[in-house]
């Protein structure tokens, strides 16, 4: 076995027998993560007939890490993700108190994973609230490190908010704050570097996947320098590709309408952090897939990527054989595509499509299917494994 490395030209070097680190995750993580591994192992073994394989390297994080070593996110876990480059994680509980806002945010920030990648597509058999969910096939590139999400804000009435307002009024000549003494304040940093590395990743993805179309989604009409800057810098990136990228842009509110009315008009979407948060969840809901949506956080420059279940730990279902493993499984398909093992990913999505078409799914999905037959996590996993075989 060997680890993935990054070549001088920035491409990933993936050995035939590869080490992939994983975090099991809290709550239902103990059920869905092993299910995902069994299915992936079966697909890789079947498709590559033993020529390729994955050795799974377990890393600690979350409740399990806290119990064993007294910390929710050990340094060794961060170091290992950096070392192995590509990994996958189950859901992690958010510790209450202790100064940690979220383990996921800590991982993203610690490894500077600046792209939140969310592909959105529909699976036949899955109930959707729209008439033509099959027309949705988009990949969202959400900026992951900047914007109002950077966490720079001050509570109303705090000495910091007062000081910040005094600076705005006294030194910057700002007199537009309607209720200055009861206002909270937040700062929205959007940089040229941050924008360009995100949009460049979106353009390269569009070229890699055979589409050349990238749409910038922003509110540059209102926030002229932050979101307007995103648009301007985004178009500058398109110029670097010398006409190979077909770029357009759309104001965020119009995009939300258009994505519902003519979703086929969009392919790869690059957007800022907050817009991306709304857009990813709306599109996932549009294909009925909010509970099974996959995702990844990626730093293409350093070659680091963590694929993840996008839902939480579902403590209400933990240990009952009811959890749906599809979010982490589809994230694993993204991982396989990311390392170039596309055929194994395809074998999994083919098996999923056929299994859903027969109405076989966990209860959260089966209850909305006309021919739905609810099965447990284990039986669903076995149905997929049997189909891949
Ligand atoms: P949740 O996603 O865990 O649960 C919301 C609802 O969705 C519940 O009814 C749950 O049963 C259902 N659900 C979630 N995943 C499911 C699955 N795979 N199969 C079937 N049903 C599923 O959100 P929550 O209850 O708000 O959060 C619980 C914990 O998870 C919190 O500690 C939260 O901070 C954490 N969380 C982690 C992540 C992450 O690691 N990416 C994301 C969201 C929440």
């Amino acid at each position: 076995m060997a680890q993935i490395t990054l070549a001088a030209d920035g491409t990933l070097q993936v050995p035939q027998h590869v080490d992939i680190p994983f975090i099991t995750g809290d709550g239902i993580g103990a059920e869905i993560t092993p299910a995902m591994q069994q299915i992936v192992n079966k697909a890789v073994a079947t498709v590559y007939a033993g020529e390729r394989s994955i050795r799974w390297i377990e890393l600690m994080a979350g409740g399990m890490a806290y119990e064993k070593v007294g910390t929710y996110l050990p340094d060794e876990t961060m170091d290992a993700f950096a070392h192995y480059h590509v990994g996958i994680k189950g859901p992690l509980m958010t510790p209450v108190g202790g100064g940690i806002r979220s383990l996921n945010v800590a991982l993203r920030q610690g490894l500077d994973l600046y792209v939140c990648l969310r592909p959105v597509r529909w699976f036949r058999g899955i109930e959707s609230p729209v008439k033509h969910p099959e027309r949705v096939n988009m990949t969202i590139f959400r900026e992951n490190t900047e914007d109002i999400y950077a966490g720079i804000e001050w509570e109303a009435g705090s000495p910091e908010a007062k000081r910040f307002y005094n600076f705005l009024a006294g030194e910057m000549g700002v007199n537009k704050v309607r209720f200055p003494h009861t206002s909270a304040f937040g700062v929205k940093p959007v940089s040229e570097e941050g924008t360009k590395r995100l949009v460049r990743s979106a353009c390269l993805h569009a070229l890699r996947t055979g589409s050349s179309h990238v749409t910038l989604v922003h509110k540059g009409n209102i926030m002229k320098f932050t979101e307007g800057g995103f648009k301007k810098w985004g178009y500058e990136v398109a110029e670097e590709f010398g006409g190979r990228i077909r770029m357009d842009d759309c104001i965020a509110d119009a995009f939300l309408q258009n994505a519902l009315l003519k979703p086929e008009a969009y392919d790869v979407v690059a957007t800022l952090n907050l817009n991306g948060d709304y857009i990813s969840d709306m599109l996932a809901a549009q294909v009925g897939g909010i509970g099974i949506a996959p995702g990844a956080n990626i730093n293409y420059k350093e070659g680091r990527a963590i694929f993840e279940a996008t839902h939480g730990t579902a403590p209400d279902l933990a240990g009952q054989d009811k959890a749906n493993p599809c979010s982490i499984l589809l994230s694993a398909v993204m991982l396989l595509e990311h390392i170039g093992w596309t055929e194994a990913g395809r074998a999994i999505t083919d098996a999923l499509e056929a299994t859903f078409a027969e109405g076989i799914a966990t209860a959260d999905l089966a209850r909305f299917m006309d021919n739905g037959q609810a099965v447990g996590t284990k039986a669903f996993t076995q149905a997929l494994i049997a189909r891949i075989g």
Side-chain angles (χ1 to χ4, degrees):
M1 290 287 169
Q3 75 209 46
I4 293 173
T5 52
L6 190 68
D9 67 356
T11 56
L12 291 180
Q13 302 299 302
V14 182
Q16 300 285 83
H17 301 280
V18 65
D19 287 338
I20 301 284
F22 73 99
I23 293 171
T24 299
D26 297 311
I28 57 170
E31 295 157 81
I32 61 172
T33 304
M36 172 277 291
Q37 289 169 316
Q38 286 172 42
I39 297 163
V40 169
N41 288 345
K42 174 73 184 197
V44 169
T46 306
V47 170
Y48 303 118
E51 297 277 304
R52 291 181 183 174
S53 66
I54 292 175
R55 179 170 65 173
W56 301 95
I57 310 282
E58 179 151 29
L59 305 179
M60 279 196 293
M64 186 219 274
Y66 193 77
E67 272 171 30
K68 286 195 180 157
V69 295
T71 170
Y72 288 103
L73 192 55
D75 289 344
E76 294 76 28
T77 295
M78 296 289 269
D79 295 345
F81 271 127
H83 174 76
Y84 288 106
H85 289 95
V86 175
I88 189 162
K89 60 173 276 295
L92 292 172
M93 44 92 82
T94 300
V96 181
I100 300 179
R101 267 226 268 195
S102 152
L103 298 174
N104 297 305
V105 173
L107 270 170
R108 282 172 211 162
Q109 286 179 351
L111 296 167
D112 192 25
L113 304 174
Y114 57 84
V115 171
C116 176
L117 182 63
R118 294 284 198 98
V120 192
R121 58 155 288 191
W122 177 69
F123 282 91
R124 190 168 301 285
I126 300 288
E127 183 167 279
S128 151
V130 300
K131 284 186 189 151
H132 291 290
E134 74 284 357
R135 292 184 186 163
V136 183
N137 193 355
M138 296 184 214
T139 307
I140 314 301
F141 278 72
R142 166 186 169 192
E143 206 289 325
N144 227 359
T145 62
E146 299 196 305
D147 199 353
I148 203 75
Y149 272 59
I152 312 170
E153 59 168 4
W154 298 286
E155 190 177 0
S158 66
E160 291 83 5
K162 194 170 173 195
R163 210 168 146 195
F164 186 68
Y165 175 68
N166 287 342
F167 169 74
L168 286 181
E171 296 194 34
M172 304 299 285
V174 173
N175 56 11
K176 298 183 202 170
V177 181
R178 181 69 188 84
F179 299 110
H181 303 300
T182 56
S183 287
F185 293 95
V187 175
K188 178 182 171 81
V190 177
S191 70
E192 180 176 349
E193 289 94 319
T195 299
K196 286 191 166 175
R197 67 181 183 172
L198 182 274
V199 176
R200 209 170 279 127
S201 304
C203 292
L204 288 169
H205 177 89
L207 292 175
R208 246 192 333 266
T209 52
S211 146
S212 55
H213 180 205
V214 177
T215 304
L216 304 171
V217 177
H218 60 87
K219 281 290 287 180
N221 55 332
I222 304 296
M223 291 168 271
K224 294 196 189 304
F225 300 121
T226 49
E227 305 237 351
F230 181 87
K231 172 183 162 187
K232 172 174 161 282
W233 295 317
Y235 276 110
E236 286 175 11
V237 169
E239 282 174 21
E240 292 172 12
F241 288 85
R244 284 188 300 148
I245 289 291
R246 192 161 48 91
M247 184 171 278
D248 52 21
D249 72 282
C250 191
I251 303 287
D253 44 301
F255 177 82
L256 290 171
Q257 282 187 45
N258 295 346
L260 198 53
L261 300 174
K262 47 169 185 169
E264 63 280 7
Y266 300 104
D267 302 296
V268 176
V269 172
T271 191
L272 300 99
N273 210 335
L274 180 61
N275 297 333
D277 196 4
Y278 299 148
I279 289 170
S280 313
D281 276 14
M282 187 206 75
L283 287 170
Q286 206 164 312
V287 294
I290 195 87
I292 65 169
N297 297 293
I298 304 180
N299 178 325
Y300 287 94
K301 277 189 178 167
E302 311 277 339
R304 291 179 193 149
I306 302 183
F307 296 79
E308 65 174 0
T310 57
H311 54 71
T313 59
D316 52 326
L317 298 183
Q320 298 170 46
D321 192 35
K322 288 183 181 165
N324 186 343
C326 287
S327 175
I328 195 162
L329 181 61
L330 289 168
S331 299
V333 170
M334 288 172 70
L335 184 156
L336 292 168
E337 288 166 354
H338 186 76
I339 65 171
W341 294 14
T342 317
E343 307 82 2
R346 186 70 236 167
I348 295 172
T349 43
D350 285 351
L352 257 186
E353 277 170 7
T355 308
F356 284 152
E358 281 182 5
I360 297 170
T362 46
D364 54 305
L365 295 179
R367 65 194 158 138
F368 298 116
M369 295 173 168
D370 291 340
N371 58 346
Q373 303 167 50
V375 293
T377 314
K378 287 184 183 141
F380 182 68
T381 304
Q382 289 314 317
L384 288 175
I385 287 174
R387 198 168 282 280
I388 292 168

